[in-house]
RNA sequence: GAGCCUGUAGCUCAGUGGUAGAGCAUUCGACUUUUAAUCGAAUGGCCGUGGGUUCGACCCCCACCGGGCUCACCA
């Protein structure tokens, strides 16, 4: 290892992880690494899905840089798991009820668009991953089981059945302890994934014997070819063993599962993969984010208000520390990213910079923005921007060279800032009702805005409008004159401070400004 | 019961074995026809407590105190 890679190792966690994987491969004599990410049957992709694949991709890329060895990323869907309950957020729930307990790939698609519910969820997962451009290979548990790819491993599990039961049994409650087996036969008639006591294990035949509790019928079921599947922790372990997985990360809620599955893999005679446990995301109250509670922030919500790079930036930083994930963290994440991209240009060690990792395929030539996102949000709020043109008008006044062509990221940020302002800042504004004096002055201003500027001095339209505003304030004898501007901001824009008003009118439009005044005046009448 | 995270400026948080950092907030100043974004500066910290390792600890180790989460059914 070179001196430089040691620096990287210290400074960026993906390289630290890559180093652990490199050590594992060396010990095993492997020349290709397999990364895995897993997806539960409950299904729809969420922010945790993004974080897991993004982080795994970063480690994978670091591994390639570090060792020069090839690797694969397997996105593995547990689509053979039984349907446990009917989800709340799907149509045809009545229909689904009849299929509870069957593997998801044997349940009809309630949306009617795919050949099974499992296939539907898989398609959504892939579309989600593809939308971010992740590089991965998709794997279906049902396919792997039924095609026989797991057969050798399943027979091996059967041969070690007792050891595996002994590992898991102490962790179970008294009820499950009595009847536990890692083998779940699929009922030959109903197709249901059976959780039943296993009466006999026949290693020679590769089968298990069990009794249907409903009918009392005894069945002997092969463990291979998709006639049976494994219970969760044994399933994970078997998959690691069968595919020789080198790396997988998971949330801290799965710490016990990782320990148990690792013990099972060792019982099977192999070494578990390198594992990383990451901390969970919390909402603004410090509660765990869960889809069922609907707290926290969704990927879609984040992407409404900031670019994907900012989400990646948030996910990059310190995976093993608990972080709060709610709207307020978005601007900072965006600015962190912008700063990192800027710092990348003359970084001594670019690999220590999150932006280097975030852009897995290389940092674009035109990355970065001359204006930070926080400042942009502030500006959008101050001028009450409701269109990109308005915001660009103010930006150009200070950075004449700025344009969507030269700074594509800024162009995107402008749109995000408008959305953020519209949804979070604007609704919180409090518009004060005008006093009688202000009412008269505002009415006068509206009238005179409707007439040609004529004798009003000034070289540009913005200056003439500014002078008009100034003149109206003086004529109505506001003292100090600042009170007139306070009135404009508080009554028209719902804030205590604002932009130079002439420039505002010029960009916002004279007609729209008149309408703004009339709205404010009518609000006065409503209140009275 | 087991495990994990966390305690740094008023707030939200970065941080590295070698003189404490950012953003926001506050105060002052510049620009401005007495109004904004902006720009400059200042104020502000026994880095939870007590031990230990070290020439040197916010950082590493131990204990304690405080805050919080997760798992103990299924996956």
């Amino acid at each position: 290892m070179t001196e430089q890679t040691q620096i990287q190792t210290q400074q960026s966690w993906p390289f630290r992880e890559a180093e652990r994987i490199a050590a594992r491969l060396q010990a095993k004599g492997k020349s290709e690494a397999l990364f895995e990410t897993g997806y539960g049957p409950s299904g729809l992709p969420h922010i945790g899905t993004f974080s897991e694949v993004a982080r795994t991709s970063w480690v994978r890329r670091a591994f390639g840089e570090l060792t020069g060895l090839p690797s694969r990323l397997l996105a593995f869907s547990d689509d053979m798991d039984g349907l446990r309950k009917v989800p709340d957020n799907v149509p045809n729930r009545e229909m689904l009820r009849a299929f509870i307990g069957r593997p998801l790939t044997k349940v009809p698609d309630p949306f009617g668009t795919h050949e099974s519910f499992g296939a539907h969820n898989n398609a959504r997962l892939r579309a989600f991953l593809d939308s971010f451009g992740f590089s991965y290979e998709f794997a279906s548990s049902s396919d792997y089981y039924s095609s026989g790819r797991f057969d050798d491993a399943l027979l091996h599990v059967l041969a070690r059945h007792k050891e595996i039961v002994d590992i898991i049994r102490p962790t179970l409650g008294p009820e499950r302890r009595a009847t536990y087996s890692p083998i779940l036969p699929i009922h030959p008639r109903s197709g249901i994934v059976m959780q039943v006591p296993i009466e006999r294990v026949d290693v020679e035949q590769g089968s298990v014997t069990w009794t249907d509790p409903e009918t009392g019928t005894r069945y002997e079921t092969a463990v291979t070819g998709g006639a049976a599947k494994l219970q969760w922790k044994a399933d994970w372990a078997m998959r690691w063993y069968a595919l020789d997985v080198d790396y997988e990360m998971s949330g801290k809620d799965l710490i016990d599962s990782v320990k148990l599955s690792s013990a099972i893999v060792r019982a099977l005679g192999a070494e578990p993969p390198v594992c990383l446990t990451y901390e969970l995301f919390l909402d603004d109250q410090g509660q765990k984010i869960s889809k069922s509670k609907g707290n926290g922030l969704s990927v879609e919500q984040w992407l409404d208000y900031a670019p994907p790079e900012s989400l990646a930036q948030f996910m990059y930083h310190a995976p093993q520390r608990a972080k709060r994930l709610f709207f307020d963290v978005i601007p900072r994440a965006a600015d962190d990213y912008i700063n990192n991209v800027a710092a990348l240009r003359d970084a001594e060690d670019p690999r220590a910079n999150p932006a280097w990792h975030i852009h897995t395929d290389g940092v674009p030539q035109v990355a970065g923005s001359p204006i930070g996102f926080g400042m942009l949000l502030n500006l959008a709020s101050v001028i009450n921007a409701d269109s990109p043109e308005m915001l660009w008008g103010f930006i150009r006044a200070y950075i004449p060279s700025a344009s969507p062509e030269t700074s594509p990221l800024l162009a995107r940020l402008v749109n995000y800032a408008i959305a953020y302002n519209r949804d979070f800042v604007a609704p919180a504004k409090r518009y004060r009702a005008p006093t009688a004096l202000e009412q008269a002055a505002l009415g006068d201003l509206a009238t005179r805005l409707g007439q040609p500027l004529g004798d009003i001095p000034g070289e540009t339209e913005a200056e003439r409008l500014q002078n008009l505003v100034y003149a109206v304030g003086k004529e109505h004898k506001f003292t100090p004159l600042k009170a007139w501007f306070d009135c404009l901001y508080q009554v028209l824009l719902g804030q205590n401070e604002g932009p130079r008003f002439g420039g505002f009118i010029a960009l916002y439009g004279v007609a729209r400004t008149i309408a703004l005044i009339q709205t404010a005046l009518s609000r006065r009448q409503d209140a009275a």
Side-chain angles (χ1 to χ4, degrees), chain A residues 41 78-85 95-109 115-118 142 185-195 229:
Chain A
D78 280 322
D79 59 7
M80 197 167 165
D81 288 15
L83 175 68
R84 279 173 41 233
K85 61 173 188 180
M95 176 277 288
L96 281 182
R97 200 150 305 168
F99 291 90
I100 284 184
R102 303 233 289 188
L104 286 160
T105 43
K106 300 293 184 189
V107 175
D109 180 9
E115 63 181 21
S116 71
F117 193 20
S142 296
I186 312 291
H187 198 296
R189 293 183 185 280
S190 69
I192 287 176
V193 181
M194 300 303 290
Q195 187 173 297
K229 77 178 295 293

Side-chain angles (χ1 to χ4, degrees), chain A residues 431-434 519-528:
Chain A
Y431 297 88
R432 176 170 69 77
T519 303
L521 291 176
S522 68
R523 194 158 41 231
R524 170 78 176 91
Q525 282 158 9
D526 292 346

Side-chain angles (χ1 to χ4, degrees), chain A residues 289-334:
Chain A
I289 285 185
S290 77
K291 283 175 291 173
S292 54
K293 264 194 281 183
N295 58 344
L297 198 58
S298 72
V299 173
E300 292 76 16
Q301 287 171 313
W302 186 298
L303 297 181
D304 280 343
Y305 304 109
E309 293 94 322
S310 63
L311 180 57
Q313 168 67 47
F314 183 81
M315 295 306 175
Y316 180 88
H317 181 256
Q320 286 168 306
R321 291 176 74 155
K323 286 200 291 288
R324 296 186 177 188
L325 178 49
F326 57 109
F327 277 108
D328 301 28
V329 308
I330 292 179
R332 178 173 179 169

